[in-house]
Amino acid sequence: MKVLFIDKIHPYLQEELEKNNFICHQEYNKNKKEIMKIISQYEGVIIRSRIEIDKKFLSHAKNLKFIARAGSGLENIDIIHANYKNILCINAGEGNKQAVAEHAIGMILSLLNSINISHAEVRNGQWNREKNRGIELSGKTVAIIGYGNNGSAFAENLKGFGVNILCYDKYLESYPNQSTMEKIYTDADIVSLHIPLTEETTYLVNRSFIEKFEKNIYLINTSRGKCVNTKDLVMKIRENKVLGACLDVLEYEQSSFEKLSESKDNQDLRFLLDSDNVILSPHIAGWTYESHLKISEFLAKKILSKFKK
C-alpha cells in the first residue's frame, strides 16, 4: 500500500509501516489543492489538522482505503462521506489520554491554589500569603462530560484526590460513576469537558447551560474551543457564576490549532488573557513527549491489524 503523510508525526509510524512493505511518502509543504492532485495515487493518508478532508478532497481520493489522524478528534474529516466511500477513519485517542488527564489536573490545581498568580508576584518581589490562600480539590464534586479515552483517564487520575466523581456520556450505556445531567447540575463544583467537536457539541457550554447549575462552578476545557461559547463564559465569569476557567483550547484557534486567529479587538479574549480567574495554555494538554510516540504506536497497531498482508 502507498501511504501519504500530510503532517509531521513521530517517525515510529512510518518505520513500522515500511517494515511491513508499505510505501510511504511525505508532503508536509504542499497545500490542499496540490495534495488533491496526487491523492489518487495513495491508499492511505496520515494527517493531523492542517488540511480538511472534506467531500471535495475525497472525490479525488479514488483509491483511498484509510485516513489515520494522529490525535483523537476527527472533526476535520467528513466521516459520513468517508464511510459512504468505504474509507476507514482511524484515530489514536488512546495515545494522549494520560497527557490530557494530567494536564487538566495540573490546570485546576494551579487555579485553585493561585500558583500562577503567586509565582508571578514572588518574581516581582511581592509576598502575598493571605491574598493567595488556596482551595482544596479534596471534597469537591467533579463532573466529567464525555467518558471516552480522555474522560475515563481523567476520572482514573482523580481517584487519589478524595473527590466525588460524576460522569455523563449520552452515547454509552454503562460506565463507572455514571450520573444524570440533572444530578450534575445540582451537585457539581467543577465541570470538565472531554467531548468531540460535533454539530451537537458546538457551543454546548453557553449561557443557558451554565445557568442550570445550582452552585457556582469551575470549568475545565481540554476538548475543543468551540464547545464553549466564549462570550457567554466571560459573562458568567463576570457575574461570578463561573468562579474560574481552565482553558487549554479556545474557539479563536485556527483550524490547524497552531495559533490564534487575528483578534486584536476581541474584548472577550482580552478578558480571558487578563483575568486572574482564568488559566490558559496553547492546546498542549495532549502534547507530551510520551504521547507523541504513543499516538504513532497506536496508529501503527490499528493500521497493520487491518491492512497488513
Side-chain angles (χ1 to χ4, degrees):
M1 295 184 77
K2 291 181 68 176
V3 178
L4 181 64
F5 284 67
I6 292 176
D7 290 296
K8 293 180 181 179
I9 67 169
H10 194 285
Y12 177 89
L13 175 58
Q14 182 168 336
E15 292 167 2
E16 286 300 299
L17 293 181
E18 288 177 342
K19 284 179 186 176
N20 289 276
N21 300 315
F22 285 69
I23 299 168
C24 298
H25 295 159
Q26 301 170 346
E27 290 294 355
Y28 302 145
N29 298 316
K30 277 188 168 61
N31 61 33
K32 182 177 179 179
K33 186 176 293 186
E34 291 170 328
I35 290 174
M36 284 195 296
K37 291 179 180 178
I38 62 172
I39 192 62
S40 63
Q41 302 171 29
Y42 296 94
E43 294 152 295
V45 62
I46 311 296
I47 65 167
R48 278 177 34 215
S49 303
R50 184 170 68 90
I51 287 177
E52 183 181 5
I53 309 298
D54 54 16
K55 191 172 184 179
K56 183 177 181 180
F57 182 97
L58 293 172
S59 69
H60 291 79
K62 305 295 185 183
N63 297 301
L64 207 59
K65 300 291 188 297
F66 73 85
I67 304 164
R69 183 176 183 275
S72 54
L74 295 172
E75 68 271 10
N76 61 322
I77 303 171
D78 187 337
I79 298 175
I80 294 174
H81 195 65
N83 289 339
Y84 173 76
K85 297 193 68 174
N86 293 316
I87 299 170
L88 180 66
C89 296
I90 303 168
N91 66 352
E94 307 93 334
N96 62 7
K97 64 180 184 179
Q98 182 63 25
V100 171
E102 292 185 14
H103 192 90
I105 290 172
M107 291 187 89
I108 192 62
L109 289 175
S110 183
L111 183 62
L112 292 177
N113 293 283
S114 301
I115 292 174
N116 283 21
I117 296 169
S118 57
H119 170 75
E121 289 176 350
V122 172
R123 295 188 74 171
N124 287 316
Q126 302 174 56
W127 193 263
N128 299 318
R129 296 188 68 220
E130 185 58 35
K131 172 178 174 287
N132 291 306
R133 188 184 288 270
I135 298 169
E136 294 182 9
L137 181 58
S138 178
K140 302 296 183 292
T141 296
V142 181
I144 300 172
I145 312 298
Y147 200 76
N149 288 304
N150 292 340
S152 58
F154 184 53
E156 184 66 28
N157 279 264
L158 280 173
K159 286 181 178 178
F161 286 92
V163 297
N164 178 36
I165 300 172
L166 301 177
C167 301
Y168 177 80
D169 192 314
K170 69 179 293 184
Y171 296 104
L172 296 178
E173 291 186 2
S174 179
Y175 45 93
N177 306 300
Q178 188 167 357
S179 175
T180 63
M181 282 306 301
E182 287 69 26
K183 184 169 179 58
I184 286 173
Y185 290 137
T186 300
D187 295 351
D189 299 295
I190 299 165
V191 179
S192 188
L193 303 181
H194 300 274
I195 51 179
L197 180 63
T198 64
E199 187 174 330
E200 182 179 26
T201 63
T202 298
Y203 288 166
L204 172 71
V205 177
N206 56 20
R207 179 179 180 177
S208 63
F209 177 89
I210 295 169
E211 288 175 348
K212 291 177 182 177
F213 288 87
E214 291 193 10
K215 300 180 184 179
N216 298 340
I217 60 168
Y218 292 89
L219 177 71
I220 306 170
N221 187 13
T222 55
S223 53
R224 288 291 185 265
K226 288 186 178 179
C227 293
V228 175
N229 184 309
T230 309
K231 185 174 291 295
D232 288 359
L233 173 63
V234 167
M235 177 197 305
K236 291 305 172 183
I237 294 175
R238 290 184 185 277
E239 294 174 359
N240 215 38
K241 181 62 182 176
V242 175
L243 299 172
C246 303
L247 307 174
D248 179 57
V249 290
L250 293 168
E251 66 170 294
Y252 311 117
E253 294 176 69
Q254 291 187 349
S255 59
S256 65
F257 308 140
E258 294 302 326
K259 60 181 178 179
L260 292 179
S261 298
E262 292 296 324
S263 50
K264 294 178 182 178
D265 299 322
N266 188 328
Q267 295 302 309
D268 295 318
L269 177 58
R270 175 48 52 190
F271 175 88
L272 296 179
L273 295 173
D274 293 340
S275 175
D276 287 343
N277 297 323
V278 176
I279 290 185
L280 304 171
S281 55
H283 204 135
I284 56 170
W287 202 253
T288 62
Y289 289 103
E290 292 84 355
S291 69
H292 186 46
L293 171 59
K294 286 190 282 188
I295 285 170
S296 277
E297 290 176 335
F298 278 106
L299 286 182
K301 183 177 180 180
K302 291 179 180 181
I303 293 168
L304 292 174
S305 70
K306 293 288 185 180
F307 299 104
K308 180 181 178 180
K309 293 182 180 179

